[in-house]
Amino acid sequence: MMLFGVATKPDNDWWIGSNIPDTKNLSKYESLMFQGNGYFGIRGTLEENYLNEKRDMFVLGSFDKLQGEATELPNLPDIVNIEIIVNDRVLSLNHGKVTNYQRGLNLKNGEIIRSFDWQVGECKLHFKFQRFVSMHNLHLFVSKVSITPLNNNIRLQIKSGIDGQQTNSGAQHFLEGSKRLFNARFVQMQTQTQESKIKFALTEYHRLFLEDSELTLNPHLIIDRRRVCANYSVDVEKGKLLRFVKYATVFSSKDKDLEVNVSEDSLKELKRVGRLPYQTLLDESSKVWDEKIWQKSMVEISSHNNKPQIAINYARYQLVANMPHDFGMNIGAKGMTGEGYKGHAFWDTEIFMLPFFMFNMPHYAYNLLVYRYLGLIGAKRKAHEGGYKGAQYPWEAAMPTDAESAPLWGSADIITGEPMKILSGDTEQHVTSDVAFGVSQYLVATGDEDFAKRMGYEIILQCAKFWDSRVEWNADKNRYEITDVIGPDEYKEHSSNNAFTNYLAHWCMKKGAEIIIDLRQNNPHDYERLNIKLNLKRLLKDLIIKASKLYVPEPDENGLIPQDDDYLSYKKINVEKYKKADNTSEIFKDFDLKQLDKIQVTKQADVVLLMLLFENDFTRDTIMENWNYYEPKTTHDSSLSYPVHAILANDLGLYDKAFDYFEKSCQTDLGVNMQSSIRGIHMASLAGIWKVVVEGFGGVRIVQSKLKIQPHIPSTWNSLRYSIVWHKTKVHVHVTHTHFSVLTDGKFKFIYHDREYQTDAGEKLIIEL
Amino acid sequence: MMLFGVATKPDNDWWIGSNIPDTKNLSKYESLMFQGNGYFGIRGTLEENYLNEKRDMFVLGSFDKLQGEATELPNLPDIVNIEIIVNDRVLSLNHGKVTNYQRGLNLKNGEIIRSFDWQVGECKLHFKFQRFVSMHNLHLFVSKVSITPLNNNIRLQIKSGIDGQQTNSGAQHFLEGSKRLFNARFVQMQTQTQESKIKFALTEYHRLFLEDSELTLNPHLIIDRRRVCANYSVDVEKGKLLRFVKYATVFSSKDKDLEVNVSEDSLKELKRVGRLPYQTLLDESSKVWDEKIWQKSMVEISSHNNKPQIAINYARYQLVANMPHDFGMNIGAKGMTGEGYKGHAFWDTEIFMLPFFMFNMPHYAYNLLVYRYLGLIGAKRKAHEGGYKGAQYPWEAAMPTDAESAPLWGSADIITGEPMKILSGDTEQHVTSDVAFGVSQYLVATGDEDFAKRMGYEIILQCAKFWDSRVEWNADKNRYEITDVIGPDEYKEHSSNNAFTNYLAHWCMKKGAEIIIDLRQNNPHDYERLNIKLNLKRLLKDLIIKASKLYVPEPDENGLIPQDDDYLSYKKINVEKYKKADNTSEIFKDFDLKQLDKIQVTKQADVVLLMLLFENDFTRDTIMENWNYYEPKTTHDSSLSYPVHAILANDLGLYDKAFDYFEKSCQTDLGVNMQSSIRGIHMASLAGIWKVVVEGFGGVRIVQSKLKIQPHIPSTWNSLRYSIVWHKTKVHVHVTHTHFSVLTDGKFKFIYHDREYQTDAGEKLIIEL
């Protein structure tokens, strides 16, 4: 039974929201109701201010680093705020009497609508708030408030402004900005980040309508430190409708579309769009959502209730709202939905998020991989600084040119006062293989040879070169090894020969060798170009030798792949308690990291993930053995774990487990735990929902450079429809319990149970299950 | 009728407070209930958090300058916060039912006590909060919460911590601090200002008592960004009393009493005091208030109600709570009571505040003047930078070594976007004379020859030297002039020969010449010492010539002193509307500064203040003429204006006006305008209350280096008692409507109506009025 912490509607697959004014769980809704367009994004704060709210607005890629802290996305001045005063009473859901409350996010077009009646003293009013971040015009935010006094004439004050007193939890990235007015109506704040010197202009314009007549009121301006606010006063008679529309534009000096400067562009754009009604601008945005996103990433679930459909719609909505509109940026682990992880991107992108984009909107996947190409600068520096060669991608990535953005030192140990070293930036090295793996998958799925030649091969070769320099010779055992790393199971801080890490390093080196051989034979021009950078002949020789001698753990006599050299020798504990805990990190209440290092407990899919990524390298029996061994020992203390387990369980025919893990994936953010998403939602987990539905139940998998479609849908579902793109061919798949059909707009081959099927444009192929 | 915005008690002269939980006017109470000890100070925030609160804590003198902004007192991490959760309901005055509410500041010892009953759901509890900043131990803050569940057993959570997410209205002066625990009980945050690199350690220790038994609970620590919080859980049975005591110490690397470093000192001191009960520590502090402050600054008013007494007690409380405990610091225009004026000191200190300290606790007056001596470094640089000689004191003073702390450029003009030049730092030059005047008054009142020789004469001579270089020769008029200044009437930004400025410059130059002549004759040693620095022979010659030729406006044919060259030629307007306005700056709604420049309207006492400071230089008729002319044209758009008018009105026999202005002085902060003090209370206005009572009604004045006592008390008063110190002699004065008496502990001379009286220790001299 899928339990959601947010309200849903049985007849609307595109709505999440709340039917009560829940000002106690502001953070959950702020994260969940995030609005964004891949250029900028805003948390779903309420217009009026509340205690403990977190007003975050970020422009993607605008990182700034404060002294002694890790670089992060700076929290911009707030443009959402609207203070409404009714006859000297400030509107607040905490005062007066609130009835007929409803607030929802329309997942189809990203519009937030909130409506309620508010009785304060003798006055009762109806309020409706609407707002959106435009998917059509990347710099635009529009907000509308409709107010009707129901039983009395009222005096209304509306204060709407730009509030630069916001911080990143107390850290201020911006210099005190300049505040000014243009044409007596346009309010602008200009400011700049402290270290990265990125300039911003935020401009607001307001229009008021009483019934159908526009009021031509100039605002009374209130200027405070880091804050500027336009103040309007208007009398509204009982029964009349007052509408207040706020238009805001956001420009930064990093914008590629900048014409003159942030101030002029921001104003010019606002003057243009400010003439248009709210609905027109919303329609423009909705059209983009519809044509560019929903038509390209279709997933339709017919089930006994619409929660799975809402979950997949929600996942797709957030993935796109947080997807960089351009290259040079990546998707943070929390996207732009909160301050968690400071906007940094992890392996989450390539291993979890990339497939959604690659199979639906490959140009977005391309953007993400170009980011990694630009990131070679930083990755090469990171390798060099660590004494390695090639490119070592950072565990935490911010600006592509940054080497490593994970903090080197954490806060002081609370007892000893000694600063604690954070190891993941140093030793969570599998991310370099993960990037190469993502590039490889993209190339297979899209056949984008242009990208391969210009960037993709070079990324993989630089990664292979890193591993070539990284592996360590063990003379006693006559093999190469990789010691002292952190694998996906981050409870183990000093793992040696972590199976996942070694497998992927081995794959990466082999893939590098393959590419060199292929280029040498078929593409001498690019071979020469890359040879200058990488000395390919020498590299090929090294890769072949070292890959052949690299220790890659094989199944032992019980069919078990040891997670690392020592795991299987550690003591076992009962982990049920931690699996069931409401909050993550529950295990740290009983054990510290040093103790966990010596216990057979796993944070998240590790060997299990390896078997999903390289399913063809293992027999079904081996996969089952390892599932049976590791799954009970896994706490799922990372949101990345559930979707992997859901897919593998489905593969193994463990259908109840599969559906259970699917539900857990959906509940990571949408579930009843109101604390789970306060610092932002989990982007890789959301991508995981799509993966479970399309790759798991829908059975889509890349196996040996071919597409496999081998679906099995949950028993509570009637059918599943989805579309993907394979080498520019659009593929529609329809799955029921008895058969599945494939309909494409071009020639298309795929594998089902080891047999290859082929179809052509418009031919519907139906396969019995 | 004196209207107060705060509650008072008819039978308690030492209490201000509130009888309702007024969370709408938080700022007013936060400023008014400021607690401090001259080392550090905290706004009177509530323990639990509220929207729109402003948690400010400052350590005096710890200025820091952020890029592009003026230097300011940085807002330290908050140590007041205590979150209380009763069975999962967070304590808030905005929820549940609050009864029997009372919150008050005990002016006698600075303790804030708040008590109320809170009903939430089925539970009713009694709460009592107490806290103080110790006057005995300058680094200590102690807070106590007493909780009794009245009708049910409860589960209580108490979270108390150090919250560094505070900012100066969005500007962050501190680096992310380190947070740690000592001995499992002591919570410490260390941090540092960004530019001035001042280190701070804040340490907290908590004790819990259930009835009479101490609970030995170690806290569960919650660590967040810039925030650390100790969390305690305890079950309390119905009717039992739980007491929670928070001890906190504050140390900075600027502290002269630092032994090892901020961290160790802070911890060591906390371990020492943490053993003592709240009441013992409070008693130690109360004793200092009593012996060192109240016994030395006695003022007792017998009146038909106790509001004048409360006002004078309040004024004295705040003056001392904000008075630097040591030299090297000054009193900001808002003290440490808020972010207004950024902690900067103005002429307010010498002209308004100094007399209170000089006549009661001369060692504090000494501290303030040593600050100006240290400030010669900055003042000489400021003179030099402006092309002048000697010392030009800054209009806004922060660190003594700073030249000028007034921002050079204000925010951009909201229409043109051009940054607006702030002129006061450049041209409000009378502050240099004001400092010299303060030094001179102190020397007369105390006879502190040691200070005179070591610092005082040098300050006055450097100021005189500044004026010597500043005055401009007007060949046409064969005189020196001072053009283009801002006088006390700040509506006039380009005044020439402002009477106040010219008079004080003239006085300063003459005083300089007198000192040189005196030293040459009587103190060759100090003459030689100063001669090396100042070239006294040349300076004396210059001063005599220039002072004799400096234009000092004389009364015209109507007895009027023109405020400046042009004032009397400007048009007149009716200013009644602006005098009556609730808020200051009302006149700017009708006129901008350029227009005000050409209107006969005066912001605050200007010529009128001159006549108070130099009363002997003018006939009573001239003073009356000028009062009649300027008083109706004055908006009192500065809190400095009322007290001056009150005293002068009393001198002129305009007793109703005098009392009216006295009431207005008291109402500046204590009055019903809940917006007047939100960014801090008005220190000079509070000093003005004392001035009106003692210098005005009590008739104490320095005239030609002698003390005049010529009292006249308001008709609603029965009597006035006060004490002052004159040349180390304690003087008690008792004034009624018919006579006044003087009782001293030593030989003492004074003037009454031009006649000199003399008395000796223990002889009570009674004079008929």
Side-chain angles (χ1 to χ4, degrees), chain A residues 414, chain B residues 180-188 203 263 267 271:
Chain A
I414 61 163
Chain B
R180 63 168 295 193
L181 201 58
F182 290 94
N183 307 81
R185 295 291 296 273
F186 296 86
V187 181
Q188 187 175 88
T203 316
S263 171
L267 182 65
K271 284 183 174 171

Side-chain angles (χ1 to χ4, degrees), chain B residues 652-749:
Chain B
L652 291 171
L654 306 167
Y655 300 123
D656 289 348
K657 277 254 177 195
F659 196 69
D660 182 49
Y661 276 121
F662 169 65
E663 287 190 325
K664 286 193 162 81
S665 304
C666 297
Q667 289 163 354
T668 294
D669 288 303
L670 293 171
V672 294
N673 180 348
M674 301 310 271
Q675 301 303 308
S676 67
S677 312
I678 53 177
R679 303 188 68 211
I681 53 174
H682 303 76
M683 296 308 300
S685 165
L686 293 168
I689 295 174
W690 182 89
K691 281 172 77 77
V692 179
V693 173
V694 175
E695 298 187 355
F697 303 141
V700 168
R701 226 70 66 78
I702 296 174
V703 178
Q704 293 182 312
S705 301
K706 290 183 176 173
L707 192 74
K708 183 173 89 171
I709 303 181
Q710 199 162 303
H712 182 282
I713 61 171
S715 60
T716 52
W717 294 10
N718 302 314
S719 71
L720 165 67
R721 287 174 196 272
Y722 61 83
S723 67
I724 57 167
V725 179
W726 182 259
H727 286 251
K728 296 190 179 163
T729 299
K730 184 76 174 255
V731 181
H732 282 89
V733 181
H734 180 203
V735 188
T736 68
H737 289 287
T738 55
H739 62 269
F740 73 102
S741 68
V742 175
L743 179 65
T744 72
D745 63 358
K747 269 202 196 327
F748 176 65
K749 286 184 198 170

Side-chain angles (χ1 to χ4, degrees), chain A residues 26 30 45-46 48-55, chain B residues 51:
Chain A
L26 286 174
E30 286 170 1
T45 46
L46 299 173
E48 65 278 10
N49 288 98
Y50 291 92
L51 187 65
N52 299 327
E53 65 184 3
K54 190 77 207 76
R55 294 183 172 268
Chain B
L51 188 64

Side-chain angles (χ1 to χ4, degrees), chain B residues 43-296:
Chain B
R43 274 165 75 84
T45 46
L46 299 174
E47 281 76 7
E48 64 278 11
N49 288 99
Y50 291 92
L51 188 64
N52 298 327
E53 66 184 2
K54 190 78 207 73
R55 294 182 173 267
D56 278 332
M57 177 164 91
F58 302 113
V59 163
L60 210 54
S62 65
F63 286 96
D64 186 62
K65 187 181 180 322
L66 294 174
Q67 192 185 336
E69 300 193 61
T71 190
E72 69 184 330
L73 280 184
N75 182 11
L76 280 157
D78 176 61
I79 55 174
V80 173
N81 66 89
I82 301 176
E83 183 176 326
I84 296 173
I85 303 167
V86 180
N87 298 340
D88 297 328
R89 297 292 295 268
V90 178
L91 172 66
S92 165
L93 301 176
N94 287 330
H95 301 293
K97 194 178 165 198
V98 178
T99 46
N100 299 321
Y101 186 88
Q102 190 172 77
R103 180 170 189 239
L105 170 64
N106 180 347
L107 302 171
K108 198 133 197 184
N109 65 1
E111 189 187 23
I112 292 176
I113 301 180
R114 175 169 63 131
S115 63
F116 56 91
D117 296 330
W118 189 53
Q119 171 134 25
V120 61
E122 294 299 299
C123 277
K124 191 169 182 178
L125 301 96
H126 180 71
F127 285 94
K128 184 177 183 187
F129 292 83
Q130 296 164 268
R131 70 185 206 229
F132 66 96
V133 166
S134 174
M135 195 51 94
H136 172 73
N137 181 333
L138 294 182
H139 300 281
L140 180 64
F141 168 79
V142 194
S143 175
K144 182 164 91 166
V145 192
S146 308
I147 307 172
T148 312
L150 300 174
N151 62 351
N152 272 301
N153 300 343
I154 56 162
R155 174 82 175 166
L156 207 57
Q157 260 191 78
I158 303 180
K159 296 181 187 176
S160 165
I162 305 170
D163 179 1
Q165 293 193 4
Q166 308 303 321
T167 62
N168 288 64
S169 299
Q172 181 54 269
H173 285 273
F174 292 98
L175 302 180
E176 167 71 292
S178 74
K179 295 151 278 194
R180 63 168 295 193
L181 201 58
F182 290 94
N183 307 81
R185 295 291 296 273
F186 296 86
V187 181
Q188 187 175 88
M189 181 184 283
Q190 288 182 58
T191 184
Q192 186 182 306
T193 55
Q194 302 224 21
E195 177 257 356
S196 55
K197 312 281 183 210
I198 302 170
K199 290 190 175 71
F200 287 89
L202 310 173
T203 316
E204 284 187 1
Y205 171 61
H206 305 104
R207 294 175 71 179
L208 285 94
F209 302 87
L210 193 54
E211 295 285 304
D212 292 329
S213 309
E214 179 157 11
L215 305 174
T216 49
L217 288 175
N218 284 348
H220 168 60
L221 212 64
I222 304 169
I223 294 194
D224 192 4
R225 192 168 184 183
R226 294 175 175 269
R227 201 144 59 170
V228 56
C229 180
N231 192 357
Y232 299 86
S233 286
V234 55
D235 294 308
V236 187
E237 286 171 32
K238 169 183 164 183
K240 302 274 185 193
L241 170 66
L242 183 97
R243 285 174 298 142
F244 177 82
V245 188
K246 176 200 296 218
Y247 304 79
T249 52
V250 178
F251 277 79
S252 95
S253 57
K254 282 186 84 241
D255 301 346
K256 292 200 185 118
D257 58 353
L258 208 61
E259 290 178 1
V260 184
N261 60 44
V262 290
S263 171
E264 288 192 33
D265 279 41
S266 176
L267 182 65
K268 187 178 157 198
E269 184 60 11
L270 193 57
K271 284 183 174 171
R272 190 181 69 77
V273 297
R275 296 193 200 103
L276 304 172
Y278 176 93
Q279 192 59 45
T280 304
L281 294 167
L282 177 61
D283 290 345
E284 285 178 359
S285 174
S286 303
K287 189 158 175 266
V288 177
W289 276 102
D290 189 45
E291 291 176 2
K292 302 275 176 68
I293 297 152
W294 305 127
Q295 289 182 26
K296 289 178 189 289

Side-chain angles (χ1 to χ4, degrees), chain B residues 30-49:
Chain B
E30 286 170 1
S31 295
L32 249 54
M33 294 202 184
F34 169 84
Q35 298 176 306
N37 60 15
Y39 168 69
F40 78 113
I42 306 178
R43 274 165 75 84
T45 46
L46 299 174
E47 281 76 7
E48 64 278 11
N49 288 99

Side-chain angles (χ1 to χ4, degrees), chain A residues 452-488:
Chain A
K453 289 183 216 158
R454 291 210 278 161
M455 300 182 233
Y457 292 151
E458 186 173 343
I459 294 174
I460 296 172
L461 289 171
Q462 293 284 10
C463 293
K465 189 169 181 173
F466 162 72
W467 286 117
D468 182 66
S469 72
R470 170 66 182 85
V471 295
E472 305 144 63
W473 180 246
N474 183 331
D476 289 347
K477 299 195 172 167
N478 191 36
R479 69 188 192 191
Y480 284 97
E481 299 189 335
I482 302 172
T483 66
D484 198 13
V485 297
I486 301 177

